[in-house]
Amino acid sequence: MSHQVLARKWRPKNFDSLVGQENTVQALVNALDQERLHHAYLFTGTRGVGKTTLARILAKSLNCEKGISSNSCGECSSCLAVDKGNFVDLIEVDAASNTKVDEMRELLENSQYAPTSGRFKVYIIDEVHMLSNSAFNAMLKTLEEPPEHIKFILATTDPKKLPVTVLSRCLQFNLKQMTVEKISNHLDMILGEEKIKFEKKALGLISKSAKGSMRDALSILDQAIAYSGNEISEEKISEMLGVVDNNFLTEILFKLSENKGDDLIEIGCGMNDKNIALDSTLDDLASLIHRVSVYQVAPSNELEYQNNNEIKKLSELFTPETLQLLYQIVINGKKDIYLAPDLLTGFNTTLLRMLAFFPSMQSEKLEPKSKEKNMITSDEVISEKKNSKERVIVDEKDFQEFDGDWHELVKKLKLGIANSLAQECEFKSYQDYSFELTLDSKKSHLMQNNYVEKLEESLINHFNKKVKVKILVDEVQTTPAIKSSNEKSKLLKETESAMMKDGFVKDLIENFDAQVVPTSIEPLNNKGK
Ligand SMILES: [Zn+2]
């Protein structure tokens, strides 16, 4: 089959056929139709999103012989010449190869002359950030006092490298990356026109690997047509792109959730045997994790051709915090994979890292394997722990006498609002179900009637006897509150120092810019007391 390169054949020739840049197109269409023209435009955005295509359509609109309009006729000699790339008044410069000041000056000297055949002399300068400073200065002079017949259309992937003096003289449009869905729909349309059979899922794979660039998508599609013959199937495209069957990736997360290290390694090796590109697989794994995260907050965002069921199941297996961490580990794994002895080692190490962190993030359901590993607990774990503390309701009806241990007694009472009062009281004396307690003057605000009544009530419930409580305001030495705060800070210190020694945490701190937040550490072994 003789075949013209799709990207060229299907290059949009007017605003209507340009895909994915609706906002920019709308603004330009309005400006053209109302003839509110600027003398310098700047299109920014990543590669292949349509910057130069848009620039050419704009150039055509400005020079169409039928008049300035967003709807250039496409038939006059100007329009035809622009489409063919031989319009004399359209000067296209690739700054990446024209950075010398002399060339720029020469170019701009010519700009003083009126256009040969068009209405405007249009300069399209692609990758404009590559110009040298002196080239910028030469351009700036023209930008400051532009002749009526000149239009600049600048394009760049890196606007931060442009001098402010240039930026401030341009009308800037930031072009968006194409979504997988938009690319996929566009490919769908093209293949329909080209009368080439395809499977929708194959287009999903192509669109994904184009990473937001329509130009890349079309050139992959060219390859795909050459590779697949008369039908573009998912299987062929996976093979061609060396992309991962999504099942491998979901399987990785499922095995991780089951804490099955040996299975993870097996998956890694299996993928390697199939010649799957393990480095780019980490990208796919990161986007899968991202999709699970998104599903947790916005289930309806998932796209139609993606596997909703699996995503849904996965979203129930991981906490949002864990997913954030796993994502970070995968992204870092991508950086490390080229430093590893080989890709498989790098890949499997990333899987093991995920595994190493996973149980401690969600450790509540798992038996602690080692003391240190379980030092880190997520907020969720802590709050679950608090709940379980509340659930420890001592129901010892046969316990009738007070043994003198106020601290233990307070832990057993169902105190409700009186809890802070009981915590701050020091035990003084006890006789025949009469308690005498001391409260520090700083805490005397707790001595409200309803608190005291509630405390009495809970003691009555506990002993099943009439109980009296008398509270004196005086100095206190040791209250349950003081005791537990001392214990807590002692444990915290121990935990913190044990954790700092832990190799994995060290690694996290060094490699992930992680910080240990002291208040987030809580030793697990004090649970349920
Ligand atoms: Zn025309």
Side-chain angles (χ1 to χ4, degrees):
M1 164 170 54
S2 95
H3 188 71
Q4 192 187 350
V5 174
L6 288 174
R8 191 169 304 151
K9 184 171 177 188
W10 288 94
R11 178 165 221 165
K13 293 195 169 73
N14 51 49
F15 287 116
D16 287 342
S17 55
L18 195 94
V19 177
Q21 305 298 349
E22 289 76 8
N23 292 345
T24 300
V25 164
Q26 192 56 52
L28 288 173
V29 165
N30 292 344
L32 285 164
D33 290 345
Q34 295 159 18
E35 296 205 23
R36 285 183 289 106
L37 302 179
H38 213 266
H39 58 267
Y41 298 84
L42 173 64
F43 297 136
T44 62
T46 53
R47 54 189 298 277
V49 292
K51 296 186 295 294
T52 52
T53 301
L54 200 54
R56 282 183 204 152
I57 297 173
L58 178 57
K60 203 155 60 169
S61 294
L62 290 167
N63 273 316
C64 176
E65 285 163 17
K66 302 261 166 75
I68 297 172
S69 108
S70 64
N71 248 325
S72 50
C73 74
E75 288 162 354
C76 67
S77 59
S78 292
C79 284
L80 289 173
V82 171
D83 284 342
K84 277 191 194 143
N86 57 15
F87 185 60
V88 282
D89 292 314
L90 175 60
I91 300 105
E92 282 197 53
V93 182
D94 179 6
S97 53
N98 268 293
T99 55
K100 290 194 198 110
V101 65
D102 289 346
E103 286 163 12
M104 196 65 203
R105 194 171 288 142
E106 197 184 323
L107 201 73
L108 293 168
E109 269 164 14
N110 288 336
S111 78
Q112 302 306 318
Y113 304 112
T116 314
S117 69
R119 198 173 288 114
F120 299 104
K121 232 175 191 162
V122 181
Y123 288 84
I124 296 179
I125 306 178
D126 196 13
E127 296 301 0
V128 62
H129 66 274
M130 302 283 279
L131 291 178
S132 65
N133 277 340
S134 32
F136 271 126
N137 286 336
M139 188 172 74
L140 201 58
K141 276 192 192 135
T142 317
L143 274 177
E144 275 164 351
E145 283 172 54
E148 277 297 307
H149 62 268
I150 285 197
K151 299 289 172 205
F152 280 102
I153 308 176
L154 314 179
T156 178
T157 47
D158 198 353
K160 282 190 201 120
K161 289 198 182 133
L162 291 184
V164 180
T165 43
V166 171
L167 275 178
S168 65
R169 286 179 171 79
C170 296
L171 191 58
Q172 187 177 338
F173 295 94
N174 188 20
L175 305 200
K176 285 185 284 187
Q177 278 213 334
M178 306 278 173
T179 61
V180 171
E181 197 182 13
K182 280 202 172 119
I183 295 178
S184 182
N185 289 341
H186 193 58
L187 301 186
D188 191 327
M189 185 279 288
I190 288 175
L191 289 175
E193 294 285 323
E194 296 277 331
K195 306 217 183 329
I196 295 170
K197 284 190 202 156
F198 63 92
E199 286 175 14
K200 186 87 181 162
K201 280 191 175 174
L203 300 192
L205 290 177
I206 295 173
S207 309
K208 236 174 84 185
S209 65
K211 294 190 194 312
S213 161
M214 189 63 89
R215 186 168 63 219
D216 288 357
L218 291 174
S219 79
I220 298 170
L221 188 61
D222 271 326
Q223 286 178 48
I225 293 167
Y227 189 88
S228 319
N230 41 8
E231 185 170 354
I232 299 176
S233 68
E234 186 190 13
E235 196 191 339
K236 281 271 180 189
I237 299 305
S238 311
E239 203 177 279
M240 181 187 98
L241 296 172
V243 291
V244 204
D245 186 340
N246 241 334
N247 293 337
F248 277 120
L249 299 174
T250 48
E251 200 57 16
I252 287 175
L253 293 186
F254 281 121
K255 291 300 175 192
L256 184 64
S257 75
E258 293 162 21
N259 208 15
K260 287 193 173 150
D262 44 350
D263 288 351
L264 283 178
I265 297 304
E266 206 172 293
I267 295 173
C269 296
M271 290 167 77
N272 195 47
D273 290 345
K274 290 202 165 189
N275 287 325
I276 289 167
L278 293 176
D279 43 357
S280 63
T281 297
L282 289 178
D283 280 338
D284 298 331
L285 187 56
S287 29
L288 176 66
I289 295 169
H290 171 70
R291 280 166 50 204
V292 178
S293 292
V294 170
Y295 188 89
Q296 286 181 335
V297 291
S300 57
N301 264 5
E302 269 300 298
L303 298 173
E304 166 206 345
Y305 55 85
Q306 295 169 336
N307 208 341
N308 256 330
N309 258 341
E310 307 278 283
I311 300 279
K312 182 170 183 283
K313 275 187 227 156
L314 288 169
S315 74
E316 288 157 5
L317 291 173
F318 297 91
T319 65
E321 293 84 357
T322 306
L323 289 173
Q324 289 304 312
L325 198 86
L326 294 179
Y327 180 84
Q328 223 176 344
I329 291 174
V330 174
I331 294 292
N332 274 279
K334 222 188 115 191
K335 235 176 2 192
D336 289 354
I337 199 167
Y338 302 110
L339 302 173
D342 54 78
L343 291 183
L344 179 61
T345 309
F347 186 76
N348 280 348
T349 302
T350 304
L351 297 185
L352 290 178
R353 242 185 225 167
M354 293 165 79
L355 184 73
F357 208 84
F358 173 73
S360 53
M361 282 298 285
Q362 312 215 120
S363 59
E364 271 301 273
K365 290 165 206 147
L366 303 163
E367 283 299 310
K369 275 188 181 161
S370 75
K371 200 177 161 201
E372 280 170 324
K373 218 175 207 177
N374 286 280
M375 290 300 179
I376 312 161
T377 63
S378 70
D379 285 349
E380 192 201 57
V381 174
I382 291 168
S383 78
E384 253 178 58
K385 210 185 298 172
K386 278 181 190 148
N387 290 338
S388 71
K389 243 181 214 167
E390 277 161 26
R391 270 185 255 118
V392 181
I393 296 157
V394 178
D395 204 7
E396 293 164 279
K397 284 287 171 198
D398 51 350
F399 181 79
Q400 297 295 328
E401 247 331 307
F402 177 51
D403 63 357
D405 192 340
W406 174 247
H407 298 252
E408 276 306 307
L409 177 61
V410 167
K411 281 182 195 167
K412 287 172 186 165
L413 295 175
K414 286 192 238 175
L415 286 156
I417 56 161
N419 185 49
S420 43
L421 174 64
Q423 293 288 343
E424 297 294 348
C425 281
E426 185 174 39
F427 171 71
K428 205 161 179 216
S429 69
Y430 167 84
Q431 203 176 10
D432 295 334
Y433 301 102
S434 275
F435 287 84
E436 216 174 75
L437 306 170
T438 320
L439 185 67
D440 192 280
S441 60
K442 283 178 205 145
K443 306 281 177 184
S444 58
H445 61 275
L446 293 170
M447 223 168 82
Q448 297 172 30
N449 277 343
N450 51 345
Y451 289 6
V452 181
E453 276 165 26
K454 178 71 192 169
L455 176 58
E456 265 181 356
E457 191 188 307
S458 55
L459 286 165
I460 291 167
N461 284 337
H462 182 76
F463 292 111
N464 223 2
K465 292 269 184 189
K466 179 90 185 127
V467 175
K468 270 189 183 164
V469 175
K470 192 176 168 192
I471 298 174
L472 310 165
V473 175
D474 202 350
E475 270 181 33
V476 297
Q477 303 291 329
T478 166
T479 65
I482 292 171
K483 194 179 164 202
S484 78
S485 128
N486 287 344
E487 278 170 4
K488 209 174 171 183
S489 62
K490 190 174 157 239
L491 264 171
L492 187 64
K493 267 191 197 129
E494 285 168 7
T495 311
E496 225 177 326
S497 76
M499 215 181 81
M500 292 307 187
K501 282 181 206 144
D502 179 85
F504 184 72
V505 173
K506 258 190 198 162
D507 189 47
L508 272 181
I509 293 169
E510 280 163 21
N511 295 323
F512 299 110
D513 281 339
Q515 282 180 353
V516 173
V517 181
T519 50
S520 73
I521 308 169
E522 198 162 315
L524 282 184
N525 54 4
N526 106 31
K527 184 188 164 189
K529 263 189 210 165

